[in-house]
Amino acid sequence: MGAMASQSYWAKRGVALASGRRMLGECPGLRPWHLRRLYAYFRRADKDDSDWISVLEFLMFFDVERSVFAVKAFTSMDADGDQRIDFPEFVRATWAYVSLSKAGLREFAFHLYDLDGSGSIERFEVEAMVHELYGSTWKSSRLARDTLRKLGGRSTKTLALSEFVDFAKSHPALLFPAFQLQRQLQKKLGGTRM
């Protein structure tokens, strides 16, 4: 019986790593040994052995607070929209997220909230982002309140990507939870160098 389960694991691993190798060219810095390590993490996260990770499994594995932002970040990793992450999506998404620079993370957050792809987001959408990033603690967070107050003082009702990036640079509290999520993933995965 144990040999049968072991064989199944190795067969699944072989298929998963073959699909992962196709991503080596599209994920800068990703090496074959990273894939083997990411597969081990993927298997640990996949608690029900279904060969895909649900939102709950993802959040629990990475010990991430269940905020709307975390769920949106997870959803953006789901390339085919089936509300679960298979191994290739896991590799692509986690590698990209842990490898993002500060500027890249600001752009990622902007695009999560630019739902119509117009290149700008409404001020109320940035306010929603703050609420979603900080979760239920946003009202008690001085950083979140100060950021919203400063944002409210702006004369324009929309923010283009460049304005958003400038605002996020000068008000780092805006994306503090996004950077915190990135650090949690990096810590769990051992950083981008793994």
Side-chain angles (χ1 to χ4, degrees), residues 121-149:
I121 54 178
E122 302 288 325
R123 191 165 58 200
F124 77 87
E125 291 172 312
V126 179
E127 292 170 5
M129 180 190 306
V130 171
H131 293 227
E132 292 173 4
L133 280 164
Y134 285 85
S136 60
T137 64
W138 79 270
K139 287 183 182 178
S140 61
S141 169
R142 187 179 58 79
L143 293 173
R145 285 192 323 272
D146 287 350
T147 300
L148 285 175
R149 185 179 42 75

Side-chain angles (χ1 to χ4, degrees), residues 23-137:
M23 289 180 289
L24 290 173
E26 66 183 76
C27 298
L30 184 66
R31 302 286 178 258
W33 66 274
H34 292 130
L35 290 173
R36 291 188 297 275
R37 196 152 183 201
L38 284 168
Y39 185 72
Y41 291 123
F42 179 80
R43 296 303 320 162
R44 279 189 248 154
D46 182 15
K47 295 291 185 198
D48 62 359
D49 201 28
S50 61
D51 296 326
W52 52 268
I53 300 172
S54 68
V55 174
L56 185 59
E57 286 173 320
F58 180 85
L59 297 176
M60 287 174 54
F61 178 73
F62 287 108
D63 194 25
V64 174
E65 181 184 334
R66 294 177 192 148
S67 69
V68 175
F69 180 83
V71 172
K72 277 189 176 189
F74 172 89
T75 304
S76 75
M77 297 174 186
D78 179 18
D80 60 10
D82 63 0
Q83 299 185 0
R84 55 191 188 181
I85 294 179
D86 58 23
F87 181 65
E89 290 170 326
F90 179 79
V91 170
R92 190 177 296 112
T94 55
W95 187 261
Y97 198 79
V98 300
S99 302
L100 284 173
S101 64
K102 286 183 178 182
L105 192 54
R106 289 181 194 109
E107 288 187 27
F108 172 79
F110 176 86
H111 291 295
L112 272 183
Y113 288 87
D114 180 17
L115 300 177
D116 62 0
S118 66
S120 66
I121 54 178
E122 302 288 325
R123 191 165 58 200
F124 77 87
E125 291 172 312
V126 179
E127 292 170 5
M129 180 190 306
V130 171
H131 293 227
E132 292 173 4
L133 280 164
Y134 285 85
S136 60
T137 64

